[in-house]
Amino acid sequence: MWRSLKNLFYSLKTYADLSPDLQMRRYVNRVLRDRRPSLSASQWYEKFWQPLDVSKPISDFVYTHMQDYSGLDFSKAYPSDRLNEDLHLPLVCWFDWQLSLCQDFWDCFGVDLSDRFNPEALFTVQELVLFLNYQLLSINHS
């Protein structure tokens, strides 16, 4: 009986450690909401990514999927937003969001990122978008 109770306790503790910090997620969304207008996926692409020659499918992928992983309103995310310091991705996402991103990228584009994607090496939304765009371009030019 004690073993079962102990296992339950550790399971709940582990679940909490691996779950998103909902209070931090609300805080980041509030900061984004209070300071920035919402952009549609097309507006987000035209304003930020088209001038950098990022493909529209990559822009759309980040716009929708990063919102799914983080719970953050990416219609208000700017290229200069830092993934850790501003958006707090390690705190607001589930612990395995990187695996989900790699799987979704494979499903959408047929490109395997599992051996190349390291979110700790990327500091801003722009770096993330450019990294993903480069991965797609490098496969298409091979």
Side-chain angles (χ1 to χ4, degrees):
M1 164 126 164
W2 287 111
R3 184 176 294 181
S4 295
L5 190 56
K6 185 177 177 181
N7 285 342
L8 177 63
F9 172 76
Y10 284 126
S11 294
L12 292 174
K13 182 179 178 341
T14 301
Y15 181 79
D17 290 343
L18 301 177
S19 299
D21 182 336
L22 299 179
Q23 187 173 356
M24 178 59 76
R25 184 185 283 177
R26 282 189 295 273
Y27 169 76
V28 174
N29 272 322
R30 186 173 47 251
V31 168
L32 292 174
R33 182 188 65 236
D34 291 348
R35 297 183 185 168
R36 301 180 179 170
S38 225
L39 300 174
S40 68
S42 293
Q43 291 169 323
W44 201 65
Y45 171 71
E46 291 165 8
K47 181 173 182 170
F48 299 128
W49 310 115
Q50 189 174 26
L52 297 175
D53 291 325
V54 170
S55 74
K56 177 106 170 61
I58 291 293
S59 174
D60 291 345
F61 178 88
V62 172
Y63 184 91
T64 57
H65 286 83
M66 287 306 296
Q67 185 161 310
D68 292 342
Y69 309 139
S70 67
L72 300 178
D73 186 354
F74 253 71
S75 73
K76 297 172 183 285
Y78 283 10
S80 60
D81 287 337
R82 297 169 298 173
L83 300 175
N84 293 338
E85 292 85 355
D86 300 325
L87 300 179
H88 300 278
L89 286 187
L91 297 176
V92 302
C93 293
W94 283 92
F95 77 99
D96 64 346
W97 74 271
Q98 303 97 324
L99 298 174
S100 296
L101 183 140
C102 290
Q103 182 61 52
D104 291 339
F105 202 81
W106 169 258
D107 292 344
C108 289
F109 303 109
V111 177
D112 183 9
L113 299 178
S114 60
D115 62 340
R116 290 172 279 199
F117 183 62
N118 177 8
E120 283 115 34
L122 305 170
F123 297 99
T124 64
V125 172
Q126 180 170 324
E127 289 180 13
L128 172 64
V129 171
L130 293 177
F131 168 81
L132 295 174
N133 193 64
Y134 178 78
Q135 301 310 308
L136 187 60
L137 289 175
S138 67
I139 296 301
N140 289 338
H141 288 122
S142 297

